[in-house]
Amino acid sequence: MVINPKTYAPFESAEEYILGWTDQIWEEYGLGRLHEHYADDMVVHGAYGPIRGMETVLRGSLVKKSAFPNRIGTAEDVICEWRGDDAFISHHRVFHSGPQEGQWVYGAPSGRNSESRNIAICLVRDGLVVEEWVVRDEYRVVTTLGLDPEEIARTVAFTDEEEGLFGTPAPEDVLVRGESGPRPETHAKEAAFIREFIDDVWGRRHLERVPEFTQRDLFLETTRSRIRTRPKNYQIELSQMLAPFPDATVEVRDIAVNTAPEQGTRIGVLWRLTGTYDGAPVYGPVTHSPIEILGASQFLLRNGRIIREWRVFDEIAVMAQVAKARGDEPRLG
């Protein structure tokens, strides 16, 4: 396939496009350059609902930069896959760290160091981001700032849109076409492998199959900076993630696979969990109310099996939904 260089202009590759624009906007205070980076009518799908339009993104970015002027975002990996000859999807895993030095939606400057892992998934067409899915470990942000997650969850609002966080039905066959469009024929085996893992192990609860898909020294990093090692502890962590919503359905919404000599084969997955909060009371007394989670995972394969997973979803957004079901009065931050 011949790729139109306009797809990642003005950079030399798709990976450089993602890393270069991130630095220009956030490290160099180039917030006004968002006009050159985002399409005017772009949509960002986040854990609390969609954000529409580049101008809305610009306003929110300005507020965040003022609160965390010295926050550093370190790129852990960028997984890119082509979507035709004029577009690509990128799964950008970033670790953020830096002090809160300005007023933020959660309160006055604390001076405390905030840290968290984010995964930003961008669909880029002809040099512009046209759609984005952003997943943050906001629970870690809140606790590293010394704040009470329950209190914060009561102050944020979850979307009221009937379409939910995605606004579209789940793809019929994510191996052929996901949220970001038609997939290439490359890496079909790896994409099918990871879909089977999530569909059967996560979705159908065949946790006994975890060792079939993973290496002995499996390493999982998940929300709240929790680390779990080996298949047994992966099974325990997964059961604990699902236990608050025992009827949960997990949809794989998009897959991207990339192999590089220095990094190996990595797979980025965008997923959605829906269920009822009527199981383990992890987020306070059960409310028997619906829950929707936008999540992302990145997997590293070794000899065709999973050796590492980085999993990100926003537990503050989950708690906000529970607070809303309890009747707590939310306010927009």
Side-chain angles (χ1 to χ4, degrees), residues 117-146:
R117 175 172 286 113
N118 299 355
I119 296 180
I121 302 170
C122 292
L123 177 60
V124 180
R125 179 169 287 111
D126 288 334
L128 292 175
V129 178
V130 296
E131 196 165 6
E132 184 174 3
W133 298 263
V134 179
V135 188
R136 300 182 176 96
D137 182 3
E138 199 69 8
Y139 194 100
R140 183 65 176 166
V141 173
V142 168
T143 54
T144 54
L145 289 176

Side-chain angles (χ1 to χ4, degrees), residues 38-44 51-54 57 129-132:
Y38 283 127
D40 289 342
D41 59 352
M42 63 88 62
V43 179
V44 178
I51 300 170
R52 295 184 173 87
M54 184 278 304
V57 174
V129 178
V130 296
E131 196 165 6
E132 184 174 3

Side-chain angles (χ1 to χ4, degrees), residues 23 28 30 79 84 102 126 131 142 149 162-163 193 195 250 321:
D23 283 349
E28 300 172 16
I79 302 171
D126 288 334
E131 196 165 6
V142 168
E162 293 182 5
E163 298 84 359
F193 170 84
R195 185 186 67 171
V250 182
Q321 294 172 73

Side-chain angles (χ1 to χ4, degrees), residues 175-187:
L175 300 182
V176 176
R177 183 186 184 95
E179 290 285 337
S180 60
R183 292 194 63 253
E185 295 181 358
T186 56
H187 292 109

Side-chain angles (χ1 to χ4, degrees), residues 34 61 78 131 144 155 179 189-190 192 208 268 291 294 310 325:
L34 281 168
S61 299
V78 182
E131 196 165 6
T144 54
T155 71
E179 290 285 337
K189 179 181 177 181
E190 294 88 347
E208 80 281 0
I291 293 292
L294 185 155
W310 296 266

